[in-house]
Amino acid sequence: MAHPQALASAPDWAAFATACGACTRCGLSTARQQVVISRGHHQARLMLIGEAPGATEDAMGEPFVGRSGQVLDQLLAEAGLDRSRDVYLGNVVKCRPPDNRKPRAAELAACRPWLDQQIAWVDPPLIGLLGATALAGVMGVKSGLTQLRGQWLAGEGPVLGGRLLIPLFHPSYLLRNPSLAEGKPKWLTREDLRGAAARLRQLPASL
Ligand code: URA
């Protein structure tokens, strides 16, 4: 792995799925249909992190397979990114919060070790944070998504150190703001993803 850290054991995704699937670290475990772990490629160099599974994800067991996932897939394709090959998708919380409420601080904290393990094993040089909850949950930045959106931030600490993170609008916000006119949120997000795609092309092959 490119980043030295305590979590740098050899990936064992099957064991990870089994352990995650049995998780009862927080109350969200009582109402879930299933734990929603990831979608995409385990060796992708761009990881995208959202908030939490919705009803469709809870039923199907994969992140971003509902309506907001369709928006995301469309923008990824328009940015020249293959959703199966170029990205690894996850969420800051792996179980659906009741009525799609925002995950609570204790739930984010309970789920964080799973996410850290995913980041360590996928080892992405680039991470996109989809929405304010992901920005707060991953970087501890509790406000300013609109100002920070589109800026590459240097990660710190054993898991994020050496990586670049970019806050992005959440796809569900783009569902409510569907205009692709220049300067609008959806247009900006497509530009952000195009920028990420350009960075991926510039990375040395070893990263
Ligand atoms: N919204 C998210 O943040 N994550 C999903 O997986 C689906 C919708």
Side-chain angles (χ1 to χ4, degrees):
M1 285 208 195
H3 303 268
Q5 56 217 352
L7 297 160
S9 52
D12 183 346
W13 291 110
F16 183 81
T18 304
C20 254
C23 181
T24 54
R25 285 183 192 168
C26 81
L28 296 181
S29 59
T30 58
R32 72 177 177 228
Q33 288 190 54
Q34 51 194 314
V35 179
V36 176
I37 298 176
S38 69
R39 205 189 86 186
H41 202 292
H42 284 145
Q43 285 160 345
R45 294 177 304 162
L46 173 64
M47 180 167 177
L48 296 177
I49 304 176
E51 180 173 310
T56 312
E57 289 78 19
D58 186 42
M60 294 180 65
E62 284 190 15
F64 288 105
V65 286
R67 286 178 65 228
S68 56
Q70 286 167 13
V71 176
L72 182 60
D73 285 350
Q74 178 208 341
L75 292 176
L76 286 171
E78 288 176 10
L81 292 165
D82 184 303
R83 56 168 257 182
S84 309
R85 184 197 60 212
D86 296 326
V87 294
Y88 177 86
L89 276 157
N91 284 306
V92 281
V93 155
K94 292 185 171 31
C95 299
R96 183 188 179 204
D99 302 321
N100 296 338
R101 66 159 169 76
K102 288 211 174 298
R104 298 186 176 128
E107 293 158 354
L108 291 168
C111 218
R112 184 63 194 256
W114 298 121
L115 182 65
D116 282 347
Q117 185 67 83
Q118 287 173 289
I119 296 172
W121 278 350
V122 176
D123 199 16
L126 306 180
I127 298 179
L129 303 173
L130 300 169
T133 303
L135 176 61
V138 174
M139 296 195 84
V141 177
K142 298 222 168 71
S143 63
L145 176 75
T146 308
Q147 292 74 38
L148 290 173
R149 184 237 100 240
Q151 293 183 40
W152 289 98
L153 311 171
E156 290 174 6
V159 175
L160 299 180
R163 311 184 196 283
L164 288 174
L165 298 96
I166 184 170
L168 301 166
F169 286 125
H170 192 281
S172 64
Y173 177 70
L174 304 179
L175 268 178
R176 301 191 297 274
N177 295 276
S179 169
L180 259 173
E182 186 170 342
K184 297 285 188 190
K186 200 168 172 184
W187 183 89
L188 289 169
T189 306
R190 190 173 61 187
E191 290 303 299
D192 293 341
L193 289 171
R194 283 183 175 152
R199 277 187 185 255
L200 286 181
R201 287 193 293 274
Q202 286 161 11
L203 287 173
S206 59
L207 269 183

